[in-house]
């Protein structure tokens, strides 16, 4: 895969996507969003890839936001389509991807950058990271799922405060709120992401896909998450991974998943 705005690296069963627009602090424009969609789609279809890490180039910024120059002149209909299309092709797409996605937040993750990080299945951050949704300072609100995911992850009250004040969280504040799982130095960030990815890659990809569907179901309107869990649990029993995993356990050896 050849891209202009992102870099894709593969190391055994782990893929790393680096958003590479350093002169723009890795801001998201339409072209980058489209490339990210293609990269995630291709990696999800690659049977050899078990985990995807997403990060930004350099040490200053994960993604500093959306490229405002692209939509500053939009009207109501164009703005609505911008949000709808973006959510469909990238943010919702990543959240529901069957391959686990870890966001390694290095530096600023603002606006669309934080929304992308929140779309990942979980996040780790460098100690210089700053996160926030500053859209109300521009006369607009987050449009890529930010109002929903931030409240789901840190609670309604704190999400209301952060959106209304257009404030930023430090990495430690994000850790205390449960928005990120770990905070480490810049030098330790990608190695930690790779270490966690390595642990994930040793487990059943089939079971992990089922787990992602089940956990996400809790946040879907009109869906009973417990029922989804029961369904996915049952489906696992018909897989080769289940047979291998249980057999390996009984034989006291490590499983060799397909």
């Amino acid at each position: 895969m050849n891209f202009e705005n992102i870099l894709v690296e593969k190391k055994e069963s782990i893929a790393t996507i680096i958003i590479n627009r350093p002169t723009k602090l890795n801001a998201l424009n339409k072209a980058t969003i489209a490339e990210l969609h293609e990269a995630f789609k291709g990696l999800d279809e690659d049977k050899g890839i078990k985990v995807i890490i997403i990060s930004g180039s350099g040490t200053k910024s994960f993604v500093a936001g959306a490229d405002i120059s692209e939509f500053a002149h939009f009207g109501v209909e164009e703005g609505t389509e911008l949000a709808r299309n973006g959510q469909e092709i990238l943010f919702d797409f990543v959240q529901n991807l069957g391959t686990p996605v870890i966001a390694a937040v290095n530096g600023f993750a603002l606006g669309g950058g934080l929304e992308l990080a929140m779309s990942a299945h979980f996040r780790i951050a460098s100690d210089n990271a700053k996160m926030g949704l500053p859209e109300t300072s521009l006369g607009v609100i987050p449009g890529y799922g930010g109002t929903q995911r931030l409240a789901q992850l840190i609670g309604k009250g704190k999400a209301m405060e952060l959106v209304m004040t257009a404030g930023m969280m430090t990495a430690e504040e994000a850790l205390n709120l449960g928005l990120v799982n770990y905070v480490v130095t810049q030098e330790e960030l990608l190695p930690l992401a790779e270490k966690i990815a390595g642990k994930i890659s040793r487990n059943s990809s089939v079971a992990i896909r089922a787990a992602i569907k089940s956990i996400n179901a809790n946040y879907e309107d009109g869906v009973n998450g417990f029922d989804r869990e029961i369904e996915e649990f049952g489906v696992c029993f018909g897989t080769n991974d289940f047979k291998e995993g249980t057999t390996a356990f009984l034989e006291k050896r490590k499983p060799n998943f397909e």
Side-chain angles (χ1 to χ4, degrees):
M1 294 179 281
N2 295 316
F3 301 108
E4 292 184 8
N5 300 297
I6 64 175
L7 305 171
V8 179
E9 303 169 356
K10 296 180 183 180
K11 186 189 298 183
E12 297 179 349
S13 62
I14 300 168
T16 303
I17 301 174
I18 302 293
I19 300 167
N20 189 35
R21 300 186 74 213
T23 60
K24 298 288 186 179
L25 291 177
N26 302 324
L28 295 177
N29 59 3
K30 289 182 181 179
T32 305
I33 288 174
E35 288 187 5
L36 285 169
H37 171 82
E38 289 303 317
F40 278 113
K41 184 174 183 291
L43 292 170
D44 188 51
E45 293 170 350
D46 186 336
K47 300 299 183 183
I49 297 300
K50 289 196 169 187
V51 186
I52 302 169
I53 298 167
I54 175 79
S55 195
S57 62
T59 59
K60 292 182 178 179
S61 179
F62 173 73
V63 173
D67 196 331
I68 297 169
S69 63
E70 283 195 337
F71 58 79
H73 60 287
F74 278 11
V76 173
E77 290 186 8
E78 292 170 305
T80 302
E81 279 302 301
L82 178 71
R84 181 178 289 113
N85 290 339
Q87 289 195 32
E88 180 180 333
I89 69 171
L90 182 57
F91 301 87
D92 289 351
F93 186 78
V94 170
Q95 176 174 299
N96 294 301
L97 206 70
T99 305
V101 179
I102 303 171
V105 180
N106 56 314
F108 290 110
L110 304 176
L114 180 55
E115 289 173 304
L116 177 57
M118 291 192 295
S119 296
H121 296 119
F122 60 91
R123 292 144 293 284
I124 62 177
S126 60
D127 51 16
N128 71 322
K130 295 285 181 66
M131 288 160 265
L133 297 174
E135 284 87 346
T136 56
S137 68
L138 301 173
V140 70
I141 67 169
Y144 290 144
T147 62
Q148 305 304 295
R149 293 190 180 96
L150 187 62
Q152 290 168 359
L153 289 165
I154 70 171
K156 179 180 176 181
K158 195 63 180 179
M160 285 281 196
E161 177 190 345
L162 285 165
V163 171
M164 286 191 241
T165 61
M168 286 193 293
M169 292 170 278
T170 65
E172 285 298 327
E173 287 171 334
L175 179 64
N176 292 335
L177 288 168
L179 183 58
V180 301
N181 292 19
Y182 302 96
V183 174
V184 294
T185 65
Q186 277 275 355
E187 293 75 21
E188 296 170 311
L189 185 63
L190 284 178
L192 176 60
E194 291 170 357
K195 180 180 178 181
I196 297 171
K199 291 180 179 180
I200 294 171
S201 68
R202 291 193 287 271
N203 297 323
S204 164
S205 293
V206 174
I208 287 170
R209 285 176 180 268
I212 290 171
K213 290 179 183 178
S214 299
I215 294 169
N216 281 344
N218 185 53
Y219 302 98
E220 296 178 35
D221 288 338
V223 176
N224 186 312
F226 292 97
D227 287 344
R228 177 66 60 80
E229 180 184 281
I230 291 168
E231 292 169 8
E232 294 297 335
F233 179 78
V235 168
C236 287
F237 277 68
T239 67
N240 290 331
D241 276 13
F242 173 75
K243 294 175 183 176
E244 169 61 16
T246 52
T247 300
F249 177 81
L250 294 172
E251 294 178 352
K252 297 182 180 181
R253 62 174 174 81
K254 291 183 179 180
N256 181 25
F257 295 116
E258 294 180 0

